[in-house]
Amino acid sequence: MSSKLGSAASGSLSSGAVVGKSTGKQLLFRTTFRNAIYEALKKRGWKETEGDDWDLHWTEREWMSEVFDTIHLSPGQRVNHYRNQRELCRKDLMVKNLKRHKRQLQKDNNEDAENYSFWPLTYVLPGDYALFVEEFKKYPTSFWIMKPVGRAQGKGIFLFKHLKEIAKWKSDSRYNADNKDAETYVVQRYIANPYLVSGRKFDIRIYALVTSYNPLTVWLHRSGFSRFSSTRYSNNAATMSDTTMHLTNVAIQKKSDTYDSETGGKWNIRDLKLYLMSRYGVATVDRLYNEMQQVVMRSLFSVQNIMMNDKHCFELYGFDVLFDDSFKVYVIEVNASPSMSANTPEDMELKVGLLSDVFDIIDLEGNMQGNELRVGGFDLIHKGIPINPSPNRMYTTNLGCDIPAEHIARSSEPSVGSATNGGTPKAEETKKKKAGVGARPAFGAG
């Protein structure tokens, strides 16, 4: 049996007081954010509080390290981070854990070890500087990119080709590994052959919700977006300083004279999927999107055994991935606090809907039965074991598929995994025709 929780916009909106399943009282939230997070919470009919009587606290990462361990939470209270979320979301720790997990798989003779090659060659500076120099010498024609591990929105990132180009960074006090205030950087071999659309570089934001690390329980959202650069791409050394060409962060792109404020430089990943299918066929693009899903799962596997699982915690991750001109997928970084600010009405609609689906799954109201396979745009893809799509499905992943109007699909339904869970081949073909498959995004001259 399927059910719909409320309005068509989010599937869970209600009017009047909304009570919690554990307290029987009006649901309360606490947050300092005033973006899509706040809008989604208010639309549910929950009330804001500044006290500690909240049912849901959507908080900053710093609160987890400074406050979480000092307070006692009631059984029904939920917070949007795990205590040590930085193990996956800080650039240096992410790579460390991916490498460690790959070594363990190799030690166990697990054939999946060969699939752990989805991040660029990476070193952590200043500690690995000598190792980096040795590797640097092996690739004299390569470009490299430097990223501070603790910053966001493209701040502090720069590209280089010659060691002399980082002389200023080297001479700074932060290069001294003995300096306790030294700022840690990662240096990575730059992916110089990204796949381009209309001559522009882009990356892809994918949303994954983890409600437990024991058992590992993962929901993957069908929607997401590609972020495009506003400048046509070139891997000529003379362009290395052009951040609007090489970095797709919205904060960077907004500074460009060619930034498209109407689209925000974004394209829904479903439209990207349909565009790619028109050029390469369904099977090739399905493999590509499935590989993106597998990269998400393998990243989570790498930290599963070291995360501090807590029944009060959940995490909405924003995975940033890209693929090169041979369709090899790379994870660039993982965000524990993906931006919920919107730069277009469509962006706000996507994010409010996404968050409403998150709150449905967290289920403070007590509407869920426990056998849900899909809630809104989220598909359950792992719960201790992989949740495989129906063999009658056209695709091996629902990433980039349309979100059905029916808000919930449950495991007791015979239609789960087919039309209800993503569409039949005929239905998808109709959608492609309506969407104008083959059209390029409107990012200027193609």
Side-chain angles (χ1 to χ4, degrees):
M1 176 180 180
S2 287
S3 64
K4 193 176 179 71
L5 297 184
S7 81
S10 71
S12 61
L13 310 186
S14 54
S15 59
V18 180
V19 300
K21 62 182 177 182
S22 63
T23 65
K25 298 179 181 179
Q26 166 73 55
L27 282 171
L28 303 176
F29 72 88
R30 181 176 178 179
T31 188
T32 59
F33 294 98
R34 290 296 182 268
N35 49 25
I37 297 166
Y38 187 75
E39 292 301 315
L41 288 165
K42 292 291 286 185
K43 281 188 174 182
R44 296 186 77 83
W46 299 0
K47 301 298 182 183
E48 187 175 13
T49 179
E50 295 183 359
D52 294 329
D53 56 342
W54 45 267
D55 297 285
L56 174 72
H57 190 183
W58 195 286
T59 186
E60 300 87 351
R61 291 169 295 176
E62 291 75 19
W63 185 89
M64 294 300 294
S65 56
E66 296 170 3
V67 180
F68 184 75
D69 288 340
T70 68
I71 61 174
H72 174 74
L73 300 182
S74 63
Q77 288 184 297
R78 304 299 298 272
V79 63
N80 66 306
H81 292 302
Y82 287 95
R83 175 65 178 79
N84 59 334
Q85 46 78 27
R86 70 177 195 162
E87 292 291 341
L88 183 60
C89 299
R90 213 176 84 163
K91 299 176 183 71
D92 57 334
L93 297 181
M94 179 190 79
V95 172
K96 180 198 75 172
N97 287 314
L98 287 170
K99 290 179 177 179
R100 175 191 52 78
H101 189 62
K102 180 176 183 176
R103 289 194 299 269
Q104 185 60 51
L105 291 173
Q106 290 171 330
K107 182 179 179 181
D108 296 340
N109 293 319
N110 189 316
E111 61 183 16
D112 197 38
E114 66 184 31
N115 294 317
Y116 277 76
S117 60
F118 52 83
W119 63 93
L121 180 63
T122 304
Y123 293 92
V124 180
L125 303 184
D128 293 343
Y129 184 75
L131 292 173
F132 158 64
V133 171
E134 288 302 311
E135 196 70 25
F136 179 91
K137 294 176 180 177
K138 297 178 184 178
Y139 304 96
T141 62
S142 292
F143 296 103
W144 297 80
I145 185 167
M146 292 273 285
K147 304 176 182 178
V149 301
R151 296 197 238 174
Q153 299 182 327
K155 296 175 181 176
I157 297 178
F158 62 93
L159 283 74
F160 65 96
K161 187 177 182 181
H162 306 287
L163 286 177
K164 65 181 180 181
E165 296 176 65
I166 60 171
K168 184 179 184 301
W169 179 86
K170 270 185 60 179
S171 63
D172 200 330
S173 60
R174 62 188 169 197
Y175 172 70
N176 184 354
D178 296 327
N179 180 359
K180 294 182 180 180
D181 296 325
E183 183 176 18
T184 304
Y185 274 66
V186 293
V187 59
Q188 298 177 319
R189 192 164 60 175
Y190 186 59
I191 301 168
N193 61 325
Y195 184 87
L196 307 176
V197 173
S198 294
R200 288 164 173 79
K201 178 182 175 180
F202 64 94
D203 66 3
I204 299 171
R205 169 63 56 86
I206 298 172
Y207 294 102
L209 173 66
V210 176
T211 56
S212 172
Y213 271 97
N214 186 23
L216 180 60
T217 305
V218 185
W219 299 77
L220 192 70
H221 206 269
R222 299 183 179 202
S223 290
F225 53 84
S226 341
R227 302 180 301 181
F228 282 78
S229 65
S230 55
T231 306
R232 293 179 68 88
Y233 181 80
S234 169
N235 59 11
N236 188 293
T239 70
M240 289 296 101
S241 62
D242 188 346
T243 54
T244 63
M245 177 186 295
H246 296 284
L247 304 181
T248 60
N249 310 70
V250 173
I252 297 291
Q253 293 302 318
K254 279 185 174 181
K255 301 174 183 178
S256 171
D257 293 336
T258 55
Y259 173 70
D260 186 342
S261 59
E262 184 177 343
T263 66
K266 295 178 180 177
W267 206 22
N268 188 287
I269 61 171
R270 178 176 176 272
D271 294 330
L272 174 65
K273 186 175 188 177
L274 294 174
Y275 166 74
L276 292 170
M277 283 180 175
S278 73
R279 294 175 62 91
Y280 305 102
V282 171
T284 296
V285 178
D286 180 52
R287 285 194 298 271
L288 173 66
Y289 271 63
N290 185 60
E291 186 58 28
M292 293 182 199
Q293 176 172 316
Q294 297 311 314
V295 161
V296 169
M297 284 308 310
R298 291 181 180 118
S299 299
L300 294 170
F301 289 147
S302 74
V303 297
Q304 179 182 2
N305 294 329
I306 61 175
M307 292 300 291
M308 299 177 185
N309 194 57
D310 191 304
K311 65 181 181 180
H312 298 101
C313 301
F314 64 93
E315 196 87 57
L316 177 64
Y317 292 105
F319 280 77
D320 291 339
V321 304
L322 65 76
F323 56 95
D324 64 20
D325 56 13
S326 65
F327 278 19
K328 177 175 174 57
V329 177
Y330 295 88
V331 61
I332 304 303
E333 64 180 25
V334 184
N335 302 275
S337 295
S339 173
M340 288 297 150
S341 297
N343 57 349
T344 66
E346 292 77 12
D347 199 24
M348 177 62 80
E349 182 180 3
L350 184 153
K351 289 175 178 177
V352 170
L354 168 85
L355 289 163
S356 295
D357 293 343
V358 169
F359 301 145
D360 285 341
I361 294 170
I362 300 308
D363 193 27
L364 293 177
E365 297 99 336
N367 291 318
M368 297 293 105
Q369 298 179 8
N371 63 341
E372 289 77 16
L373 292 180
R374 180 182 52 76
V375 176
F378 277 104
D379 292 286
L380 181 64
I381 63 170
H382 196 92
K383 191 172 184 179
I385 60 173
I387 308 297
N388 296 316
S390 164
N392 297 323
R393 278 294 316 246
M394 183 180 186
Y395 305 133
T396 58
T397 175
N398 287 316
L399 182 63
C401 288
D402 196 25
I403 299 175
E406 198 168 25
H407 191 63
I408 294 178
R410 294 191 167 95
S411 60
S412 59
E413 296 179 5
S415 58
V416 170
S418 54
T420 303
N421 202 27
T424 62
K426 184 176 180 180
E428 287 296 329
E429 185 63 30
T430 301
K431 292 169 191 171
K432 282 188 276 184
K433 290 179 181 178
K434 288 182 179 180
V437 172
R440 289 178 177 267
F443 299 131

